[in-house]
Amino acid sequence: MSDDFSGVDWQTARYDDKDFTPGDPYEVAKLGKRISDTAKLIEEQAGKLNNLVDGNGWDSDAGRVFQDKTHDTVGLLTKTHQRYAAAASALGSSVPYGPVVDQMRENWAVALNHAQGLVRTALTKAKNADGDGSRYQKQIDQHPGPDEHPDKQKLKRQKDAADGDLEAAKRDLRHALDYRDTQAGYAAKAIRDAIDNDGLKDPKHHWWDNWKDWVAEVGHWAGVAAGVLCILALVLGAVPILGEIIVALALVASVVALACDTVSALDGKGTWLDVAIDVVGVLSFGAGRILGTAAKEAAVAARGSAALKQFLALRELGVGAKLAGESSELLTGVKAGKIGEALAKGPNSVLPKMRSIVKDSLDFKAYYNDIRVAVTKTAEDDGILAGGKLPKLGDLSDSAFKTMARSRSLLYQASQFGPTAAGVLNLSPLHSWEPSSLELNVFDGLKHTTGWGANGIPFYNGHLKVAGG
């Protein structure tokens, strides 16, 4: 959310929205109370254990060994108590009803409750000011008199006052959120300081301890890269060499995102809807190869049909075969050798089946060959297919092949734009600094719907909604 709170609907905004002060201070206090009780229990047990060995009767080798071990345990329990006590103090164990001074350092339960109160007051003020401003503006717009009319001038002053109240409410809201952030920082620092300085030896963590988070991180950035590269492929895909390289890189990023999202879905961190979108994205590369080729072949056939008509018309006028052939090639852009080949294919040969699309989509040898060709040589001159561009439909002769070319071209565009759009719109920020305006996460609501947000393995860790909720 920006500092000016643009985009906030003041009439429906709640104090516990995620952008304001989410959380329940009473639940925080309950957690703090449980931790405080645990700290007291640890302290009591440490005291009892220490008293056990402080008396007589331990003057023996076994007794002295037991005393040493017991004192070590008591020391460890004391340090553990200090950690729990620090956490309990930082969280708080109750929510008082008395006033709180903003400048005072409070525990998190008290601070959160106070921050929510400040936000509630500010939002109420903003809601009233926003409603008044809208009402006055509507009356100004509907007033029949000129701008100099006294009543209209009064309405404008009232509108300006309402706008001023709204700005004041925004300032109050900024102050409340600053207080929230400051107090949250105090609580987090107190707990962190206790952990870092209480003398307990925490186990050493390795990067593989959090491998699931690492997989999710890699999958997220692979998805971002795939989205950018797919968009570039749509724009630059027809450029020789560069286009093939971009498409190949987009495919690699898409496959990596698919693999990582599958792991996350199995673990319950992601959803099977994410995987499905990735699968469609990967299959779109094979579909694009087949449908794109089909559209080009249909266009060649359409131009071949036009070239043949042109050739026959010239022959009827008495033009020699050689000159008629050269003239037809010049007028239609189709080489003479391509005419017979194009017409021989027939309309049925440019109608790919779904089985062949899926098969080609999973043929990674074909993708490898695309990359190899892209980086080792330029595209060969192949008549109107040179450069890989689809012919313009307006340049084609009216024939059954033109209809085929049009339908195959539309199918090709749908096979590329649809999956790319779905993948880009499915991106969601993984970190707070990522721009939510670019990673829209439009399917988030769907993922919280039963079935669509399913993840995990059924009967093991499966859920019907994302995060199981």
Side-chain angles (χ1 to χ4, degrees), residues 269-336:
K269 294 177 69 68
T271 71
W272 292 114
L273 178 59
D274 294 313
V275 176
I277 292 174
D278 291 342
V279 168
V280 172
V282 172
L283 294 181
S284 71
F285 290 93
R289 181 189 292 109
I290 293 181
L291 293 171
T293 301
K296 295 170 190 175
E297 290 180 347
V300 172
R303 285 196 176 182
S305 176
L308 181 59
K309 291 179 182 179
Q310 184 69 33
F311 175 80
L312 294 176
L314 291 174
R315 290 292 288 156
E316 288 179 1
L317 295 175
V319 179
K322 181 178 179 181
L323 180 58
E326 292 175 349
S327 299
S328 298
E329 179 181 338
L330 179 65
L331 292 172
T332 61
V334 183
K335 293 184 177 182

Side-chain angles (χ1 to χ4, degrees), residues 128-143 151-152 154-163 165:
N128 294 335
D130 178 68
D132 291 342
S134 298
R135 185 173 67 256
Y136 292 137
Q137 185 60 56
K138 183 177 181 180
Q139 293 177 9
I140 292 172
D141 294 339
Q142 295 176 347
H143 197 285
D151 290 343
K152 203 167 189 178
K154 180 180 178 181
L155 288 172
K156 289 182 177 179
R157 289 192 297 272
Q158 292 174 320
K159 173 66 167 57
D160 291 340
D163 290 344
D165 290 341

Side-chain angles (χ1 to χ4, degrees), residues 161-186:
D163 290 344
D165 290 341
L166 180 58
E167 290 302 317
K170 290 180 181 180
R171 289 193 295 271
D172 293 343
L173 191 54
R174 291 189 199 99
H175 166 72
L177 298 184
D178 288 342
Y179 171 80
R180 173 206 64 185
D181 294 340
T182 300
Q183 295 292 333
Y186 287 153

Side-chain angles (χ1 to χ4, degrees), residues 293-303 350 396 401-402 404-405 408:
T293 301
K296 295 170 190 175
E297 290 180 347
V300 172
R303 285 196 176 182
V350 295
L396 307 181
F401 293 105
K402 182 173 182 178
M404 281 290 176
R408 300 305 160 258

Side-chain angles (χ1 to χ4, degrees), residues 15-16 20-26 110-123 176 179-180:
Y15 71 93
D16 55 355
F20 297 134
T21 49
D24 186 339
Y26 293 94
V110 172
L112 178 59
N113 185 61
H114 181 55
Q116 289 184 340
L118 294 176
V119 171
R120 275 194 293 262
T121 301
L123 288 179
Y179 171 80
R180 173 206 64 185

